[in-house]
Amino acid sequence: MGTAGGTERLVLDYRLDSGIAVVSVSGVVDVLTCGVLRDGLLRVVTDEGFRGLVVNVAGVNFIDSTGLGVLVGIWHRVSATDFSMVLAAPSTEARRILDASGLTKPFSLYDTEVAAVRACRPPGTI
């Protein structure tokens, strides 16, 4: 999907799993890279075929308030639809920051990507 910084400070990988968009985020999410994250996630949620979003943050080794702001903004956008956004497999660092910021309450977090994709599917689908 995209990278930011000279040494690939942030990498986004995108795939579909039974119609659910899965974006894997790796690296540093900060003021320098949050634009890449925002643009990548916006491309997914504005796609005509959008049916739900899983953001896999297993590879995130740092996230600051600007990165959290991007996730909250995308979450608000998705919440205004009939679909959902969930976070999957948060790294120790990502979970620590999500806990400290209180964002584990509004976000649905799942320990595995498989569980997150399953939870994101509309009711009645396999």
Side-chain angles (χ1 to χ4, degrees):
M1 219 174 188
T3 61
T7 59
E8 293 188 346
R9 290 175 44 91
L10 181 68
V11 177
L12 305 178
D13 290 315
Y14 168 83
R15 68 183 181 80
L16 284 174
D17 186 329
S18 303
I20 303 299
V22 178
V23 178
S24 296
V25 183
S26 300
V28 174
V29 183
D30 62 10
V31 69
L32 297 175
T33 62
C34 68
V36 172
L37 179 63
R38 181 189 62 248
D39 293 347
L41 295 177
L42 277 174
R43 262 184 270 147
V44 170
V45 301
T46 57
D47 184 3
E48 199 171 291
F50 176 73
R51 293 180 39 209
L53 174 62
V54 171
V55 181
N56 185 326
V57 290
V60 172
N61 51 35
F62 178 80
I63 184 167
D64 70 5
S65 61
T66 57
L68 293 176
V70 167
L71 291 176
V72 168
I74 298 296
W75 177 78
H76 277 290
R77 186 172 189 133
V78 172
S79 295
T81 70
D82 293 331
F83 303 111
S84 59
M85 173 186 153
V86 300
L87 301 180
S91 65
T92 303
E93 177 66 13
R95 184 175 289 277
R96 185 183 66 77
I97 294 188
L98 289 164
D99 284 338
S101 65
L103 289 176
T104 54
K105 288 181 172 91
F107 284 127
S108 296
L109 272 73
Y110 294 88
D111 290 334
T112 67
E113 186 176 291
V114 170
V117 169
R118 189 176 308 121
C120 216
R121 288 191 186 121
T125 61
I126 297 175

